[in-house]
Amino acid sequence: MTTDAANPAAVRTAPVRDHGSVLWAVTDCWNITRRTLTHYQRHPSAVVWQLGFPILSLLLYGYVFGSAMKVPGGGDYREFLMPGMFAMTMAMGFMNTTVAVVTDAARGVVDRFRSMPMAPSAFASGRGAADLVVAAAELTILAVTALLMGWRAEGGVPAGLAAFGLLLLLRFSLIWVGVWLGMLVPTPEAAGGLYAVAFPVTMISSTFVAPSLMPGWLGTIAAWNPISSTATATRKLFGNPVAGGGTWVEEHAVLMAVVWPLAITLVCLPLAVRRFQRLSR
């Protein structure tokens, strides 16, 4: 706000920023993304901690339990396991998002963002973009670890890239679940308690065993789990043992590996943005 020299009573107001502008929304999104990635750069132990569990699981299930596991229809269990572990890691990543968001909220960072002239979608989209970059790094390290353990993608380069794309699509969709939950739960401790819910959801899937080996009702739940669709689809694309049970959702796993994440995104992304707008009201 400034005063005209010729007419002191005349007050000129600074231009009001157009919050609906796509350009400003993209700029704000980038600023939040850069802020999040800078945090990881200054605290690399956070990424190392996130990777510790999936790498340990690869080694544990691949070497300790691998010789005792059987794949229906034949095939090497380790080849069957790796795509499932990739899918589980991408799915469990939403908990890291939840904890990070609720920690920012507890420290007052989210309130500070809300007090700024920032696009309403920037916080959720910036967090999502940063987490997707971290997820790509995690997936790369997991793939290298799997290759060192003897896993191979036999489906060719285009199919392999499509499989990795489906894995990142799953993570992308669940990021919005994490952002939304992070603004719902009151404390970081309460967010940590969500692991008790998230872990069974990832386990009741085709990550470790084929749904056809489970009791009928449980196998049906596992087959329709979005994580199972991504795991089965990536097994097909990687050229690894699939062990499908012949159900519709398993036969159309590639289609459902696209449909499920899109549906989750369409529901949870608006919820995350709306929740951010309604905080402290």
Side-chain angles (χ1 to χ4, degrees):
M1 180 180 298
T2 58
T3 303
D4 194 309
N7 184 6
V11 177
R12 293 182 301 177
T13 304
V16 177
R17 179 171 170 177
D18 180 7
H19 299 303
S21 168
V22 174
L23 176 61
W24 284 121
V26 172
T27 302
D28 290 340
C29 172
W30 164 243
N31 288 330
I32 299 297
T33 302
R34 184 176 58 180
R35 178 251 177 192
T36 305
L37 293 178
T38 300
H39 175 79
Y40 280 115
Q41 182 182 359
R42 294 178 178 177
H43 301 279
S45 59
V47 178
V48 174
W49 176 257
Q50 291 177 22
L51 284 172
F53 176 74
I55 290 178
L56 180 61
S57 297
L58 281 178
L59 298 173
L60 180 64
Y61 284 93
Y63 287 120
V64 177
F65 300 134
S67 59
M69 297 289 190
K70 302 297 180 183
V71 180
D76 182 67
Y77 178 73
R78 198 173 299 166
E79 296 286 319
F80 174 85
L81 172 68
M82 296 306 173
M85 289 300 303
F86 296 162
M88 187 190 80
T89 302
M90 293 297 98
M92 288 294 290
F94 87 92
M95 286 302 307
N96 300 324
T97 303
T98 300
V99 172
V101 171
V102 73
T103 299
D104 279 348
R107 293 174 177 174
V109 176
V110 174
D111 287 336
R112 183 178 180 185
F113 285 150
R114 292 183 65 252
S115 68
M116 295 178 176
M118 187 173 70
S121 62
F123 178 75
S125 59
R127 183 79 225 185
D131 282 5
L132 195 62
V133 172
V134 174
E138 292 176 354
L139 192 54
T140 300
I141 295 174
L142 280 178
V144 171
T145 303
L147 288 170
L148 294 175
M149 293 175 63
W151 170 77
R152 294 293 182 269
E154 307 290 349
V157 175
L161 292 176
F164 284 119
L166 290 178
L167 290 165
L168 290 175
L169 181 62
L170 176 66
R171 176 63 172 267
F172 177 79
S173 67
L174 293 177
I175 283 172
W176 312 121
V177 178
V179 173
W180 179 52
L181 290 176
M183 289 184 285
L184 283 177
V185 295
T187 63
E189 292 75 16
L194 293 175
Y195 278 103
V197 178
F199 193 69
V201 171
T202 59
M203 294 295 292
I204 304 176
S205 67
S206 64
T207 299
F208 300 107
V209 297
S212 60
L213 297 178
M214 303 177 186
W217 63 273
L218 189 62
T220 300
I221 296 175
W224 283 91
N225 188 328
I227 300 172
S228 295
S229 294
T230 298
T232 302
T234 53
R235 286 181 180 120
K236 291 180 178 179
L237 293 171
F238 283 137
N240 297 145
V242 176
T247 63
W248 185 92
V249 69
E250 290 172 303
E251 291 177 354
H252 298 83
V254 176
L255 171 64
M256 295 306 297
V258 176
V259 171
W260 279 124
L262 291 180
I264 293 171
T265 301
L266 288 174
V267 172
C268 293
L269 176 56
L271 287 176
V273 174
R274 186 177 303 173
R275 179 60 183 170
F276 176 75
Q277 294 174 313
R278 292 183 176 180
L279 285 175
S280 301
R281 289 185 180 179

